[in-house]
Amino acid sequence: MSGSITGKILKVSTWGESHGAAIGAVLDGCPAGLTIDEEYIQAFLDRRKPGQSRFTTHRNEEDKVRILSGVFEGKTTGTPISLMIENTDHRSADYSNIKDIVRPGHADYCFNEKYDIRDYRGGGRSSGRETAGRVMAGAVAVRFLSELGIEFLTYVDSVGDISINEDSFDESFIKENPLCMPDRDAYEKASAYLDELMKVGDSSGASVKCIIKNVPVGIGETVFDKLDARLAGAIMSIGAVKAVEIGDGTAVSTSRGSVNNDEFYSEDGNVLKKTNHSGGILGGMSDGSDIIIKASFKPTPSIYSEQATVDKDGNNVNINIKGRHDPIVAPRAAVVVETMTALVVADLMLSNMSSKLENVLKIYNE
Amino acid sequence: MSGSITGKILKVSTWGESHGAAIGAVLDGCPAGLTIDEEYIQAFLDRRKPGQSRFTTHRNEEDKVRILSGVFEGKTTGTPISLMIENTDHRSADYSNIKDIVRPGHADYCFNEKYDIRDYRGGGRSSGRETAGRVMAGAVAVRFLSELGIEFLTYVDSVGDISINEDSFDESFIKENPLCMPDRDAYEKASAYLDELMKVGDSSGASVKCIIKNVPVGIGETVFDKLDARLAGAIMSIGAVKAVEIGDGTAVSTSRGSVNNDEFYSEDGNVLKKTNHSGGILGGMSDGSDIIIKASFKPTPSIYSEQATVDKDGNNVNINIKGRHDPIVAPRAAVVVETMTALVVADLMLSNMSSKLENVLKIYNE
Amino acid sequence: MSGSITGKILKVSTWGESHGAAIGAVLDGCPAGLTIDEEYIQAFLDRRKPGQSRFTTHRNEEDKVRILSGVFEGKTTGTPISLMIENTDHRSADYSNIKDIVRPGHADYCFNEKYDIRDYRGGGRSSGRETAGRVMAGAVAVRFLSELGIEFLTYVDSVGDISINEDSFDESFIKENPLCMPDRDAYEKASAYLDELMKVGDSSGASVKCIIKNVPVGIGETVFDKLDARLAGAIMSIGAVKAVEIGDGTAVSTSRGSVNNDEFYSEDGNVLKKTNHSGGILGGMSDGSDIIIKASFKPTPSIYSEQATVDKDGNNVNINIKGRHDPIVAPRAAVVVETMTALVVADLMLSNMSSKLENVLKIYNE
Amino acid sequence: MSGSITGKILKVSTWGESHGAAIGAVLDGCPAGLTIDEEYIQAFLDRRKPGQSRFTTHRNEEDKVRILSGVFEGKTTGTPISLMIENTDHRSADYSNIKDIVRPGHADYCFNEKYDIRDYRGGGRSSGRETAGRVMAGAVAVRFLSELGIEFLTYVDSVGDISINEDSFDESFIKENPLCMPDRDAYEKASAYLDELMKVGDSSGASVKCIIKNVPVGIGETVFDKLDARLAGAIMSIGAVKAVEIGDGTAVSTSRGSVNNDEFYSEDGNVLKKTNHSGGILGGMSDGSDIIIKASFKPTPSIYSEQATVDKDGNNVNINIKGRHDPIVAPRAAVVVETMTALVVADLMLSNMSSKLENVLKIYNE
């Protein structure tokens, strides 16, 4: 079945394998009249670019986006926006030794069983590279949401046991360090930890937080298309994510109603909440507070120590993974979390337009 | 937009408000030839029935399912299965005092802003009662999956700070206690804790675990319709859920690749994993191990202590909630987690049928 | 697969068999705040009611609609609207003699092959009775569109070889005759023709025209969700329809560009067309003129003369159909064409709301 | 909204404007293991290639397909197949004179009203060139269906008043004449007729017939996803189509049940029909006979005689269209009809796989 298309009104279709000819996305349903260009999208792609620090692979992809359709004289036309990156750095030879062996922690075994055929070069479709398509399409969604005053703040919240300290939160520092952490002290500890792991060929898990500001109240559809349901699905679809939390997340299970409920109050005609345990979502709809999502990433499965596994014929073998692999997924994945979030929020903002007759009349009868 | 329909091949459409005339679901896409009757579905509904213990509301709903279509002479016909419960115990009067006030922790405020109109009786569409529709439809999915040897084990894993002890896991005990816990000692502690909370009109969070056994390898579609993505969306769509974890969940963020990777081995011609940190899902597809999902439920927002809030006109007011409310959501919600999970797995099992040409030929050319 | 759900933003899910317990529809995505009641919907149902003239079956169904959800204090709430008719007149015995025989011109043979099981009573899901669900849901769509000034004119355009004469078009007469024809003379000829056919147990084909007035320009989405594409799909999905035409329809194949092109002109600030060969649709979008759809209905396949066919075991047998059957489908189907059309237009009106950024800003930034 | 994506299991997303950088399609959901290459797809593209005869435009596009993803070592992998043609022959200058004027019979006016912006070069997204994406994706569907023994026969059935004579039907001649007619005599008359029209700058309507052989019984889903409903929607979505007929089409409206019903009979264990008025579809499902679809195409709206119209500011003006335009749409559109048909049939073949439990067990329990 078609698993590479998502969205209801604003739909994304992504395609491409890690070592194929190109990788891309088609964004359909973007409102006409939005100013967008390749430079804007490129800035998002650059945030997930490999080869930027000692913590990322040295693949020398240019990852240069081309807008092939849907934009005319600098503005979206309402027709599908096709976005593409030609792959230029194929070192497929690196993967020939794992062609017939399934890597622990990877999708290889499942792909073999499901399809009986697999583009084994660099993970093929299950490569992290697949997310480039999402980032390109999601960058357009971010651009769209910025017209409505909606902003994103995304960062690495923890690396291994090292969590950021909210008291020393420094937003400006996020872009200044390769781990995208908003806390200099935590960054330095995490850096040292990763250096240790890299020496032994190991990798680390981490978590990413994404905060969305200024979403109007009521975004999200009742029951199955709730804002949190759609966000959870979108974020969990990113490779290596094993948990999605909204607001206080898992901590709500140990809380009490008298603590967890966010009391409302009114100030200067605005309805506000005294706390934000809900993470900005109540009953599946935005409640006017910051929306807070946290994703837990597993450690990069490609490690350099020898591991036990099986080959295609079911023999027990050992595997030594070579090639270029990050010791941590999260810093490059932060922009993926942000852009996936943007795609969901943008889609639900569009769908919310028809939630009441008053809105329909505003468009057609005025 | 239509948020009350989910699924791709096996689709569910739910409808109904807490205090409306009836509540129901339409399940479309169920294969023909499946044996099913009202008694089978009723057993699932009974697991979420109120009024069963001191921890659940005393609403005296019969919650009696009727199959209105799609089943003929005891078997599904391939046409939509309409399932309905007539609402019989409307005590709408209980809610008149909160008609114009938004309850903290509830969807009231968001509903008002989104639609400008709200069936305030018992939460209307955002009531936990909405899940009855899911349970009825999901029971059919469980029935379907049982034909393929797939089984579910669902229980309350923790209540407040009290977690079950894996070493004293007792599956048979789950059905014997109103908290659906598989550990007698944990149950007793949790019971005592809830009794304390009820005395002060407070409520508790909790977590639910759902384990799915015998799912074949390769279920789940690449990229957006990954098994874990679809499960996360489905589980997060249940009211009060604030976190969804697969396998080791949030703990992966503090793990290392050398620990978190599950090594494969071959035994008697079967490919197995030495560990199951992945929770049975790799690259978004089932990997043959047990699939493990954990959902964190927030404490019931309806508590009996006075809370600050606002009314419809934006005045600061206090609210005292009356009516019938459970001090904990999870025990009755466990069957909702199970049935939502079943709907996702069944849908993806059907979609996986066309994953390879060999399967298509097996149906049409043999 | 689920074939009983349609629509993108405004979605309908229908269910029910001819002789099952009930028949119904769930309409999800209707904007909140629309005034609607059972009486309004009933009027549409009554237009397809059997037993109204000598040309319709004498089944004494009440066909009484119940609104079970989604409407509160006379207005839609934005949640799913569940609509149901309890079946009261089951004369299933009438069908026992055809249980194992496939009727020519009916879906019986295909149902048997597809599902291996079939509710043979009255056609089950493939009965014309299935359209009652569409009519109930579509009546809500008509109600919605009337808020936007959109009106429908639907009638039987021809019966056998007898077509209405545009020069003697009498709109008021449509409701006064059981064949729903807008031309008294044509009606009388058609009546006499049908009387002749009924004497010999035969049936007649016919055509239905539906004209939609005041649809704003630009409704319909490019490429696959074009207004005409969606209308064609919706109308062809009505049992017995074998052709769908827009505007000049099949006649365009014999026309010339210089004749078929509708020239534009401007008058009092309005852009108008000199002719309407296009039937109000250009490039898949409404062009501001009346939208004109024509559906060709085949003769009722249930005829009373003996026919050759096969039984379940593949034996050649003869069949004599009994029971209650109309000699013509179109008069009762006219309201089905109208309501299906309304569902499509309403859905595309909602989707068009997000076609340009200016509209989005009108909802969120004003 | 996203109108450029269609299909349920086998989904196509098309993109691109006539004079943009490229044009393409993404096909998601194609079963893995299908042999396919660029040469196979190219043959379909060549059937709609311009510049092949005096009846087609002299645009010198190479229209060279590239497979960018989803195919590995000559076989589909189950992941999205991205197909692209780089546009090489942009003569955008030709269109500058119509930039601010809406062409009669074209989508220009509707585009302007809907989006407020329009890529006016060559029709942009509403250009016939958009269908190249469909043809590429549909060629893969044809390839897939050929594995199941399903074959297509597509031809121009009439040009203006000149229809083919079934008695002189010559299948081999279809590929030998630029009008794709299966009757030499009709071709010669049609040729002469078009020559006359071209002299006066006019254009002709035409009809295309598509016959699908060997579709198994039962393909098509009940109610809204009926085979004929889906075909009608798909074919009507092709620019210039104004009518879709199945089997006897509009002629059923003048027929009688005793004539129109196709009697069944059994021969050598096979159930057959004595006639095929139904066009191979009963109750929305394939009935085992040839499936017969007819599409009526309007005359090319771009004609060379002066026409009255309006400009962007609502002034009455005259327009003289220049550029390259075919005097007839149908011959190049025949392959579009065929490939759209293939996409629908393939999608419904895949969805039918899960119609009965027996099939599900065949895949999973054997």
Side-chain angles (χ1 to χ4, degrees):
Chain A
M1 201 199 64
S2 45
S4 291
I5 300 179
T6 193
K8 300 282 171 99
I9 293 182
L10 183 69
K11 286 194 176 181
V12 195
S13 173
T14 71
W15 55 270
E17 280 86 35
S18 176
H19 287 62
I23 203 155
V26 184
L27 183 68
D28 194 13
C30 182
L34 183 74
T35 302
I36 189 86
D37 58 22
E38 290 171 350
E39 194 180 359
Y40 184 89
I41 298 168
Q42 190 65 45
F44 283 78
L45 272 181
D46 289 348
R47 285 169 60 190
R48 69 166 291 291
K49 198 162 71 173
Q52 302 186 115
S53 81
R54 68 183 185 282
F55 305 127
T56 57
T57 63
H58 301 295
R59 180 162 169 160
N60 294 310
E61 289 289 350
E62 279 281 343
D63 274 7
K64 193 94 186 103
V65 63
R66 280 178 70 194
I67 300 176
L68 297 177
S69 69
V71 177
F72 184 59
E73 297 177 347
K75 283 184 188 294
T76 57
T77 60
T79 61
I81 303 170
S82 178
L83 302 157
M84 185 175 75
I85 300 167
E86 300 258 1
N87 286 334
T88 53
D89 179 32
H90 311 292
R91 287 203 225 154
S92 301
D94 283 346
Y95 296 94
S96 56
N97 71 320
I98 55 158
K99 178 180 164 183
D100 296 325
I101 300 182
V102 298
R103 293 167 297 169
H106 278 279
D108 304 349
Y109 171 58
C110 305
F111 255 98
N112 283 351
E113 293 295 306
K114 186 180 186 76
Y115 297 116
D116 289 348
I117 181 175
R118 173 169 67 90
D119 183 344
Y120 53 80
R121 302 168 305 168
R125 185 70 180 144
S126 69
S127 164
R129 188 155 177 73
E130 168 268 319
T131 60
R134 308 184 186 211
V135 169
M136 293 189 284
V140 181
V142 173
R143 181 69 265 286
F144 166 69
L145 292 171
S146 74
E147 291 280 339
L148 304 168
I150 294 169
E151 289 168 15
F152 292 83
L153 175 61
T154 315
Y155 53 88
V156 171
D157 193 57
S158 70
V159 173
D161 282 323
I162 306 134
S163 293
I164 66 150
N165 184 338
E166 293 288 346
D167 295 331
S168 50
F169 193 97
D170 178 359
E171 189 177 327
S172 66
F173 185 64
I174 297 170
K175 295 190 178 173
E176 291 169 23
N177 74 91
L179 295 180
C180 302
M181 295 182 90
D183 171 351
R184 185 176 300 268
D185 186 51
Y187 161 65
E188 276 163 16
K189 283 179 188 152
S191 257
Y193 174 63
L194 290 178
D195 282 335
E196 286 304 312
L197 288 176
M198 287 170 77
K199 276 182 202 156
V200 295
D202 212 341
S203 62
S204 176
S207 69
V208 168
K209 212 169 228 182
C210 179
I211 297 167
I212 321 158
K213 294 166 184 294
N214 305 326
V215 177
V217 182
I219 304 305
E221 305 300 327
T222 40
V223 183
F224 301 119
D225 283 302
K226 284 174 170 160
L227 176 54
D228 41 4
R230 290 283 297 275
L231 285 171
I235 302 306
M236 192 66 94
S237 79
I238 302 170
V241 172
K242 299 301 281 186
V244 180
E245 299 173 89
I246 304 293
D248 285 4
T250 57
V252 299
S253 69
T254 58
S255 187
R256 297 175 175 215
S258 58
V259 172
N260 189 68
N261 280 356
D262 302 311
E263 290 187 314
F264 291 102
Y265 68 101
S266 180
E267 197 174 77
D268 303 330
N270 296 315
V271 173
L272 301 168
K273 285 161 50 197
K274 294 181 183 172
T275 50
N276 190 18
H277 298 291
S278 76
I281 302 179
L282 277 174
M285 289 170 275
S286 53
D287 68 12
S289 300
D290 284 356
I291 293 168
I292 301 169
I293 311 160
K294 192 172 162 188
S296 295
F297 285 82
K298 72 177 187 182
T300 319
S302 289
I303 55 173
Y304 297 95
S305 38
E306 189 170 83
Q307 299 175 86
T309 190
V310 295
D311 66 14
K312 265 175 93 168
D313 303 319
N315 299 310
N316 287 304
V317 296
N318 286 332
I319 187 171
N320 288 286
I321 292 176
K322 295 199 176 65
R324 302 155 298 184
H325 307 287
D326 300 352
I328 183 169
V329 172
R332 289 176 58 196
V335 69
V336 184
V337 171
E338 180 173 312
T339 48
M340 283 307 293
T341 297
L343 285 165
V344 168
V345 173
D347 191 25
L348 289 172
M349 295 276 302
L350 295 181
S351 85
N352 179 63
M353 288 176 69
S354 60
S355 59
K356 49 189 170 188
L357 184 59
E358 183 192 323
N359 284 358
V360 182
L361 298 176
K362 207 176 273 181
I363 298 297
Y364 290 115
N365 285 10
E366 277 173 19
Chain B
M1 201 199 63
S2 44
S4 291
I5 301 178
T6 194
K8 300 282 171 98
I9 292 181
L10 183 68
K11 286 195 176 181
V12 195
S13 173
T14 72
W15 55 270
E17 280 85 36
S18 176
H19 287 63
I23 203 155
V26 184
L27 183 69
D28 195 13
C30 182
L34 183 73
T35 303
I36 190 85
D37 58 23
E38 291 171 350
E39 194 180 359
Y40 185 89
I41 299 169
Q42 191 65 46
F44 284 78
L45 272 182
D46 289 349
R47 286 168 61 190
R48 70 165 291 290
K49 199 163 71 173
Q52 301 188 117
S53 82
R54 68 184 187 280
F55 305 127
T56 58
T57 64
H58 301 297
R59 180 163 170 161
N60 293 310
E61 291 288 350
E62 280 281 342
D63 274 8
K64 192 92 186 106
V65 62
R66 280 178 70 196
I67 300 176
L68 298 176
S69 69
V71 177
F72 184 59
E73 297 178 345
K75 283 184 189 294
T76 58
T77 60
T79 63
I81 303 170
S82 177
L83 302 157
M84 184 175 76
I85 300 167
E86 300 258 1
N87 286 335
T88 54
D89 179 31
H90 312 292
R91 287 203 226 156
S92 302
D94 283 346
Y95 296 94
S96 55
N97 72 320
I98 55 159
K99 179 179 164 182
D100 296 325
I101 301 182
V102 297
R103 293 167 297 169
H106 277 280
D108 303 349
Y109 172 57
C110 304
F111 256 97
N112 283 351
E113 293 295 306
K114 186 181 186 76
Y115 297 117
D116 290 347
I117 181 174
R118 172 169 67 91
D119 183 346
Y120 52 80
R121 301 167 305 167
R125 185 71 180 144
S126 69
S127 165
R129 188 155 177 72
E130 167 267 318
T131 59
R134 309 182 187 212
V135 169
M136 293 188 285
V140 181
V142 173
R143 183 67 266 285
F144 165 69
L145 292 172
S146 74
E147 291 280 339
L148 304 168
I150 294 170
E151 289 169 14
F152 292 83
L153 175 61
T154 315
Y155 54 86
V156 171
D157 193 57
S158 70
V159 172
D161 280 325
I162 305 134
S163 293
I164 66 151
N165 184 337
E166 293 287 345
D167 294 334
S168 50
F169 194 97
D170 178 359
E171 188 177 328
S172 67
F173 186 62
I174 297 171
K175 294 191 179 173
E176 291 169 23
N177 74 91
L179 295 181
C180 303
M181 296 181 89
D183 170 352
R184 185 177 301 266
D185 186 51
Y187 160 66
E188 276 162 15
K189 283 178 188 153
S191 257
Y193 175 62
L194 290 178
D195 282 335
E196 285 304 311
L197 288 176
M198 287 170 77
K199 277 182 202 155
V200 294
D202 212 342
S203 62
S204 176
S207 69
V208 168
K209 213 169 227 181
C210 180
I211 297 168
I212 321 157
K213 294 166 184 294
N214 304 326
V215 177
V217 182
I219 303 306
E221 304 299 328
T222 39
V223 183
F224 300 119
D225 283 301
K226 284 173 170 161
L227 176 54
D228 42 4
R230 289 284 297 275
L231 285 171
I235 302 306
M236 191 68 94
S237 79
I238 303 171
V241 172
K242 300 300 281 187
V244 181
E245 300 172 90
I246 304 293
D248 284 4
T250 58
V252 299
S253 70
T254 58
S255 187
R256 297 174 175 215
S258 57
V259 172
N260 188 67
N261 281 355
D262 301 312
E263 290 187 314
F264 291 102
Y265 68 102
S266 179
E267 198 174 77
D268 302 331
N270 296 314
V271 172
L272 301 167
K273 286 160 50 196
K274 293 181 183 172
T275 50
N276 189 18
H277 299 290
S278 75
I281 302 179
L282 277 174
M285 289 169 275
S286 54
D287 68 11
S289 300
D290 284 357
I291 292 169
I292 301 168
I293 311 161
K294 191 172 162 188
S296 295
F297 285 83
K298 72 177 186 181
T300 319
S302 288
I303 54 173
Y304 297 95
S305 39
E306 190 170 83
Q307 299 176 85
T309 189
V310 295
D311 66 14
K312 265 177 92 168
D313 304 320
N315 301 310
N316 286 306
V317 297
N318 286 332
I319 187 171
N320 288 286
I321 293 176
K322 295 198 176 67
R324 303 155 298 186
H325 306 288
D326 299 352
I328 183 170
V329 172
R332 290 176 59 196
V335 68
V336 185
V337 171
E338 180 172 313
T339 48
M340 284 306 293
T341 297
L343 286 165
V344 168
V345 173
D347 191 25
L348 290 172
M349 295 277 301
L350 295 182
S351 85
N352 179 64
M353 288 175 69
S354 59
S355 60
K356 49 188 170 189
L357 184 60
E358 182 192 324
N359 284 357
V360 183
L361 299 176
K362 208 176 273 181
I363 298 296
Y364 290 114
N365 286 11
E366 278 175 15
Chain C
M1 200 198 65
S2 44
S4 290
I5 300 179
T6 193
K8 300 282 170 101
I9 293 182
L10 183 69
K11 286 195 177 181
V12 194
S13 173
T14 71
W15 55 270
E17 280 86 35
S18 176
H19 287 63
I23 203 156
V26 184
L27 183 68
D28 195 12
C30 182
L34 183 74
T35 302
I36 190 86
D37 58 22
E38 290 171 349
E39 195 180 0
Y40 185 89
I41 298 169
Q42 191 65 44
F44 283 78
L45 272 181
D46 289 349
R47 285 168 60 190
R48 70 166 291 290
K49 197 161 73 173
Q52 302 186 114
S53 82
R54 69 184 185 280
F55 304 127
T56 58
T57 64
H58 301 296
R59 180 163 170 160
N60 294 311
E61 290 288 351
E62 280 280 344
D63 275 7
K64 192 95 185 101
V65 64
R66 280 178 70 194
I67 300 176
L68 298 177
S69 70
V71 177
F72 184 59
E73 297 178 347
K75 282 184 189 293
T76 57
T77 60
T79 61
I81 302 170
S82 178
L83 302 157
M84 185 174 75
I85 300 167
E86 301 257 2
N87 286 335
T88 53
D89 179 32
H90 311 291
R91 286 202 226 156
S92 301
D94 284 345
Y95 296 94
S96 56
N97 72 317
I98 55 158
K99 179 180 163 182
D100 297 325
I101 300 182
V102 298
R103 293 167 297 169
H106 278 279
D108 304 349
Y109 172 58
C110 304
F111 256 97
N112 283 351
E113 294 294 306
K114 185 181 187 76
Y115 297 116
D116 288 349
I117 181 175
R118 172 168 68 90
D119 182 346
Y120 52 80
R121 301 167 304 167
R125 184 71 179 145
S126 70
S127 164
R129 188 155 177 73
E130 167 267 319
T131 59
R134 310 183 185 211
V135 169
M136 293 189 284
V140 181
V142 173
R143 181 69 264 286
F144 165 69
L145 292 171
S146 75
E147 291 281 339
L148 304 168
I150 295 170
E151 289 168 15
F152 292 83
L153 174 61
T154 315
Y155 53 87
V156 171
D157 194 57
S158 70
V159 173
D161 281 324
I162 305 135
S163 294
I164 66 149
N165 184 337
E166 293 289 344
D167 296 331
S168 50
F169 193 97
D170 178 359
E171 188 177 329
S172 65
F173 186 62
I174 297 171
K175 295 189 177 174
E176 291 169 24
N177 73 92
L179 296 180
C180 303
M181 296 182 89
D183 170 351
R184 185 177 300 267
D185 186 51
Y187 161 65
E188 275 162 15
K189 282 178 189 155
S191 257
Y193 174 62
L194 290 177
D195 282 334
E196 285 304 310
L197 288 176
M198 288 170 77
K199 275 182 203 157
V200 294
D202 212 340
S203 62
S204 176
S207 69
V208 168
K209 212 170 228 182
C210 179
I211 297 168
I212 321 159
K213 293 167 184 292
N214 304 326
V215 177
V217 181
I219 304 305
E221 305 299 328
T222 40
V223 182
F224 300 119
D225 283 301
K226 285 174 170 161
L227 176 54
D228 42 3
R230 289 284 296 275
L231 286 171
I235 302 307
M236 192 68 93
S237 79
I238 303 170
V241 172
K242 300 300 280 186
V244 181
E245 299 172 88
I246 305 292
D248 284 5
T250 57
V252 299
S253 70
T254 58
S255 188
R256 298 173 175 216
S258 58
V259 172
N260 188 67
N261 281 354
D262 301 312
E263 290 187 313
F264 291 103
Y265 67 102
S266 180
E267 196 174 78
D268 303 331
N270 296 313
V271 173
L272 301 167
K273 285 160 50 197
K274 294 182 183 172
T275 50
N276 189 19
H277 298 291
S278 76
I281 302 179
L282 276 174
M285 289 170 275
S286 54
D287 68 12
S289 301
D290 285 356
I291 292 169
I292 300 168
I293 312 160
K294 191 172 162 187
S296 295
F297 285 82
K298 73 178 186 182
T300 318
S302 289
I303 54 173
Y304 297 95
S305 39
E306 189 169 85
Q307 298 175 85
T309 188
V310 295
D311 66 15
K312 265 175 94 169
D313 304 318
N315 300 310
N316 287 305
V317 297
N318 286 332
I319 188 170
N320 288 286
I321 292 176
K322 295 198 176 66
R324 303 156 298 186
H325 306 287
D326 299 352
I328 182 168
V329 172
R332 290 177 58 196
V335 69
V336 184
V337 171
E338 181 173 311
T339 48
M340 284 306 294
T341 296
L343 285 165
V344 168
V345 173
D347 191 26
L348 290 172
M349 295 277 300
L350 296 181
S351 85
N352 179 63
M353 289 176 68
S354 59
S355 60
K356 49 188 170 189
L357 184 60
E358 183 193 323
N359 284 358
V360 183
L361 298 177
K362 208 176 273 182
I363 298 296
Y364 290 114
N365 286 10
E366 277 175 18
Chain D
M1 201 199 64
S2 44
S4 292
I5 301 179
T6 193
K8 299 281 171 98
I9 293 181
L10 183 68
K11 286 195 176 181
V12 194
S13 173
T14 71
W15 56 270
E17 280 85 36
S18 176
H19 287 62
I23 204 155
V26 184
L27 183 68
D28 194 12
C30 182
L34 183 73
T35 302
I36 190 86
D37 58 23
E38 291 171 349
E39 194 180 0
Y40 185 89
I41 299 169
Q42 191 65 47
F44 284 77
L45 273 181
D46 289 350
R47 285 168 60 190
R48 70 166 290 291
K49 198 163 71 173
Q52 302 187 114
S53 81
R54 69 185 186 278
F55 304 128
T56 58
T57 63
H58 301 297
R59 180 162 170 160
N60 294 311
E61 290 289 350
E62 280 280 343
D63 275 8
K64 192 93 185 105
V65 63
R66 280 178 69 196
I67 300 176
L68 298 176
S69 70
V71 177
F72 184 59
E73 297 178 346
K75 282 185 189 293
T76 57
T77 60
T79 62
I81 303 170
S82 177
L83 302 157
M84 184 175 76
I85 300 167
E86 302 256 2
N87 286 334
T88 52
D89 179 31
H90 312 292
R91 288 203 224 156
S92 301
D94 285 345
Y95 296 93
S96 56
N97 71 319
I98 56 159
K99 178 180 165 183
D100 297 325
I101 301 181
V102 298
R103 293 167 298 168
H106 277 279
D108 304 349
Y109 172 58
C110 304
F111 256 97
N112 283 350
E113 294 294 307
K114 186 181 188 75
Y115 297 117
D116 290 347
I117 181 175
R118 173 169 67 91
D119 182 346
Y120 52 81
R121 302 167 304 166
R125 185 70 180 145
S126 70
S127 164
R129 186 153 179 73
E130 168 267 318
T131 59
R134 310 181 185 213
V135 169
M136 292 189 284
V140 181
V142 173
R143 182 70 264 286
F144 165 70
L145 291 172
S146 74
E147 291 280 340
L148 304 167
I150 295 170
E151 289 168 14
F152 292 83
L153 174 62
T154 315
Y155 53 87
V156 172
D157 193 57
S158 70
V159 172
D161 281 324
I162 305 136
S163 294
I164 66 150
N165 185 338
E166 293 288 346
D167 296 332
S168 50
F169 193 95
D170 177 359
E171 188 178 327
S172 66
F173 185 63
I174 297 171
K175 295 189 177 173
E176 290 170 23
N177 74 92
L179 296 180
C180 302
M181 296 182 89
D183 169 352
R184 184 177 300 268
D185 186 52
Y187 160 66
E188 275 162 15
K189 284 178 187 154
S191 258
Y193 174 62
L194 290 177
D195 282 335
E196 285 304 310
L197 288 176
M198 288 171 77
K199 276 183 201 155
V200 294
D202 212 341
S203 62
S204 177
S207 68
V208 167
K209 212 170 227 180
C210 179
I211 297 168
I212 321 159
K213 294 166 184 294
N214 305 327
V215 177
V217 181
I219 303 305
E221 305 299 329
T222 39
V223 182
F224 301 119
D225 283 301
K226 284 173 170 162
L227 176 54
D228 41 4
R230 290 283 296 275
L231 285 171
I235 302 306
M236 192 68 94
S237 80
I238 303 170
V241 173
K242 300 300 281 187
V244 180
E245 300 173 89
I246 304 293
D248 284 4
T250 57
V252 299
S253 70
T254 58
S255 187
R256 298 173 173 214
S258 58
V259 172
N260 189 67
N261 281 355
D262 300 311
E263 291 187 313
F264 291 102
Y265 67 102
S266 178
E267 198 174 76
D268 302 331
N270 296 314
V271 173
L272 300 167
K273 286 160 50 197
K274 294 181 182 172
T275 50
N276 189 18
H277 299 291
S278 75
I281 302 179
L282 276 174
M285 289 170 275
S286 54
D287 68 12
S289 299
D290 284 357
I291 292 169
I292 301 169
I293 312 160
K294 191 172 162 187
S296 295
F297 285 82
K298 72 177 186 182
T300 317
S302 290
I303 55 173
Y304 297 95
S305 38
E306 188 170 84
Q307 298 175 85
T309 189
V310 295
D311 66 16
K312 265 175 94 169
D313 303 318
N315 300 309
N316 287 305
V317 296
N318 285 333
I319 187 171
N320 288 287
I321 293 175
K322 295 197 176 67
R324 305 156 295 185
H325 305 287
D326 299 352
I328 183 169
V329 172
R332 290 177 58 197
V335 69
V336 184
V337 171
E338 181 173 312
T339 49
M340 284 306 294
T341 296
L343 285 165
V344 167
V345 173
D347 191 26
L348 290 171
M349 295 277 300
L350 295 181
S351 85
N352 179 63
M353 288 176 69
S354 59
S355 60
K356 50 187 171 190
L357 184 60
E358 183 192 323
N359 284 357
V360 182
L361 298 177
K362 208 176 273 181
I363 298 297
Y364 290 115
N365 287 11
E366 278 176 16

